[in-house]
Amino acid sequence: MKKAILMIVLVAFATTSLQAQTTTDNRGKFTFGLKAGSNFSNVYDSEGEDFVADGKFGLAAGAFVVIPLGKVFGIQPEVLYSQKGFKSTGTFLGQRYEMTRTTDYIDVPILLSIKPVEYVSILFGPQFSYLLKQTDDFTGGTLTATQQDEFDNSNLRKNILALTGGADFNINHFVIGVRAGWDVKDNDGDGNATTPRYKNMWYQGTLGYKF
């Protein structure tokens, strides 16, 4: 009888301890992590002209830090390598062509984090982006060419301000992130660019791990 009572007490204690561990609220903890995923990006004409493009996928990967400002609010800065761009078609000298533009950025979002419950973080804030390079792939008829431009003598804007927002879903150490973002500034540095004036917009999905 005593053994049975002792067994019941041990099981109850173990169950209570397990419940306490699984319901521990970590919203007030400082954490950092790594994440990777994909952007689906496109552009829109910043001058209201007739410029139509299709979206494309690109890599998104980097690191983030969660800085709590209490239990509900916090700041979440991130540093990401982020590929954006678009696809476009047209005609040149009577031949139809297709172009895919890939722009490689370093994105630094500084996000306000609102954590109404432990498992969800709502995020919104400004993002500062630096353009590393641009790659244009042209295909038309029998001609295929790739042009990579480091922008040494270009008037395209390298530093761009954007707004971004979304949510993180926290499952133990794993984080599923969804975002949407759009540029505040267009790509034209001094108003004389020969390429279309446009702003980036994108959707982003990532899987991260918090340490």
Side-chain angles (χ1 to χ4, degrees):
M1 184 67 177
K2 291 182 179 181
K3 289 183 178 180
I5 294 174
L6 179 61
M7 183 64 69
I8 292 172
V9 171
L10 290 175
V11 170
F13 178 77
T15 302
T16 303
S17 299
L18 181 61
Q19 288 177 345
Q21 291 176 4
T22 56
T23 58
T24 299
D25 195 331
N26 295 315
R27 283 180 287 176
K29 284 189 175 181
F30 176 93
T31 58
F32 71 96
L34 302 174
K35 65 178 183 178
S38 179
N39 291 330
F40 182 75
S41 62
N42 204 335
V43 295
Y44 64 97
D45 182 14
S46 62
E47 298 295 328
E49 298 176 359
D50 187 17
F51 176 61
V52 180
D54 296 322
K56 69 178 293 293
F57 286 96
L59 175 66
F64 62 93
V65 178
V66 180
I67 305 171
L69 302 175
K71 188 174 182 180
V72 177
F73 296 99
I75 301 295
Q76 184 166 314
E78 303 179 354
V79 179
L80 304 172
Y81 171 77
S82 182
Q83 289 184 326
K84 301 167 190 170
F86 60 91
K87 294 181 179 180
S88 179
T89 59
T91 57
F92 180 71
L93 297 178
Q95 286 195 333
R96 188 170 182 81
Y97 71 88
E98 179 178 303
M99 183 188 75
T100 300
R101 171 167 293 178
T102 302
T103 49
D104 293 27
Y105 285 91
I106 295 296
D107 288 344
V108 184
I110 308 295
L111 305 172
L112 173 66
S113 176
I114 303 173
K115 298 165 280 188
V117 295
E118 181 183 2
Y119 304 105
V120 179
S121 300
I122 300 169
L123 303 156
F124 182 80
Q127 175 174 289
F128 304 94
S129 299
Y130 180 78
L131 179 59
L132 296 173
K133 68 178 181 180
Q134 173 180 293
T135 303
D136 293 337
D137 293 324
F138 294 92
T139 303
T142 60
L143 175 64
T144 300
T146 299
Q147 178 186 14
Q148 180 172 305
D149 190 354
E150 300 293 346
F151 298 124
D152 291 334
N153 299 305
S154 176
N155 63 5
L156 295 182
R157 195 186 306 275
K158 284 188 175 182
N159 298 288
I160 297 179
L161 174 66
L163 294 174
T164 184
D168 282 350
F169 301 93
N170 308 289
I171 306 170
N172 295 326
H173 288 280
F174 293 96
V175 181
I176 300 172
V178 291
R179 302 276 195 282
W182 57 96
D183 288 347
V184 174
K185 291 284 190 178
D186 62 27
N187 69 317
D188 193 354
D190 59 9
N192 296 314
T194 57
T195 56
R197 294 178 297 248
Y198 63 79
K199 298 178 182 178
N200 294 295
M201 56 184 179
W202 65 95
Y203 301 99
Q204 184 182 96
T206 57
L207 176 63
Y209 186 86
K210 291 194 294 186
F211 297 94

